[in-house]
Each structure stands twice: as C-alpha cells, then as structure tokens.
Amino acid sequence: MLAAPSVLFVCLGNICRSPLAEAALRARAAGAGLDLLVDSAGTGPWHVGEPPDPRSQATARAHGIDISNYRGRQVKPEDFRRFTHILALDHDNLAGLRRIAPADATAEVGLLLDHVPGLAGQAVADPYYGDDDGFATTWAQVDAAARALVTRLTA
Ligand code: 4NP
C-alpha cells in the first residue's frame, strides 16, 4: 500500500523559515481538503523547544495563522522513515540532510523551491539577520511552494 503523503520542512534553526512553510502547507492543505501530516525541524540544535521567532509569528498572524504553539526540534533519523517527503529550505540544509540520512531512508529528500515553477534550484534566503521584508519574501516563497505541493499531492 502506498503511504499517505507526509511532508517535513527543514531549515537551520526551525524558528524562522520552516515553521512558516509548515504553517502555509497546513493552511493550503486544509483549504483543499487534503489530509496531510506536516511538520518542520532544524538541522541545528540551538532553538530546540523554542517557539518561532517573533517575526515569523507576526508574519503568520498577518495571514490569519497562529504558530505560537509550534516548538523547535532537530531533525532525527526516524524522520527519514516517517515522512514521505523531506524538503530543505536551502542548499546547506539539503546537504546536511543528505549527510545524516540513514541507510534505510525511504523519504524523498529535495529542495523546497524545486517545486515552484521559475524558482527551481533556488534557496529560501535566511531572514534571521535581516529586516521584516525578508520574512514577507519568505512567506511568499513558502506559500507558493505550499500551493504547488497541494496541487502535486492531490493530482
Ligand atoms: P531558520 O533561521 O533556519 O530559518 O530558522 C535561523 C534561525 C536561527 C539561526 C540561524 C538561522 N541561528 O543561528 O541561531
């Protein structure tokens, strides 16, 4: 039997970009009536247990989504068996995922923006050290990816 689709988004800290990708896909999947397991994680350990960056929370809230209950966690070997798709927000984190993938990984591991026409091969830039505009750009990119993923997973 084919496993139901499940998607894990991975950035570095799991407090800026991947929580927004999680929020966008949860909302787009709900809007499409698509039952999907969605989660996010970081390759780094620094923000485990922390809520998303206040700027990410504000960005999600501006789109009607409350992510204040999300908590940072680090990607772990069983994620590669539990999720059907693991999508990195940038190339460094994609390389990090490939380094830690266990031999019996079943997840399809790839770059998030490869799913967005016109943005293939590009990274979602890290907005952590930038201004609020960076978070708006992040939202636009992860929401475009969420829409494309829902189309792909409902096809
Ligand atoms: P994220 O952003 O990977 O989009 O969650 C970052 C958050 C924190 C750090 C780096 C990136 N940090 O170095 O603490």
Side-chain angles (χ1 to χ4, degrees):
M1 196 182 81
L2 267 177
S6 49
V7 181
L8 178 69
F9 296 109
V10 177
C11 63
L12 182 60
N14 192 209
I15 55 165
C16 291
R17 291 166 292 174
S18 61
L20 288 179
E22 177 182 346
L25 184 57
R26 283 184 185 280
R28 293 289 176 186
L34 176 64
D35 188 17
L36 203 58
L37 174 67
V38 186
D39 199 5
S40 62
T43 55
W46 310 283
H47 300 284
V48 170
E50 292 180 15
D53 185 284
R55 297 165 295 175
S56 279
Q57 292 194 42
T59 301
R61 204 178 307 118
H63 295 276
I65 305 169
D66 178 8
I67 62 169
S68 61
N69 63 331
Y70 290 15
R71 291 294 178 269
R73 75 168 180 91
Q74 201 170 6
V75 68
K76 53 192 176 197
E78 71 186 67
D79 288 324
F80 291 86
R81 296 181 288 268
R82 179 157 176 248
F83 291 90
T84 57
H85 298 76
I86 302 182
L87 295 172
L89 278 278
D90 64 27
H91 302 86
D92 283 349
N93 288 297
L94 180 59
L97 285 170
R98 296 209 192 286
R99 263 196 306 277
I100 63 170
D104 61 350
T106 50
E108 175 190 310
V109 178
L111 190 67
L112 178 72
L113 291 182
D114 277 353
H115 293 273
V116 182
L119 295 183
Q122 295 190 33
V124 177
D126 188 350
Y128 187 63
Y129 294 105
D131 57 21
D132 289 350
D133 279 359
F135 284 81
T137 301
T138 297
W139 179 265
Q141 292 178 339
V142 300
D143 191 45
R147 279 182 274 130
L149 286 166
V150 165
T151 299
R152 179 182 161 195
L153 296 173
T154 50

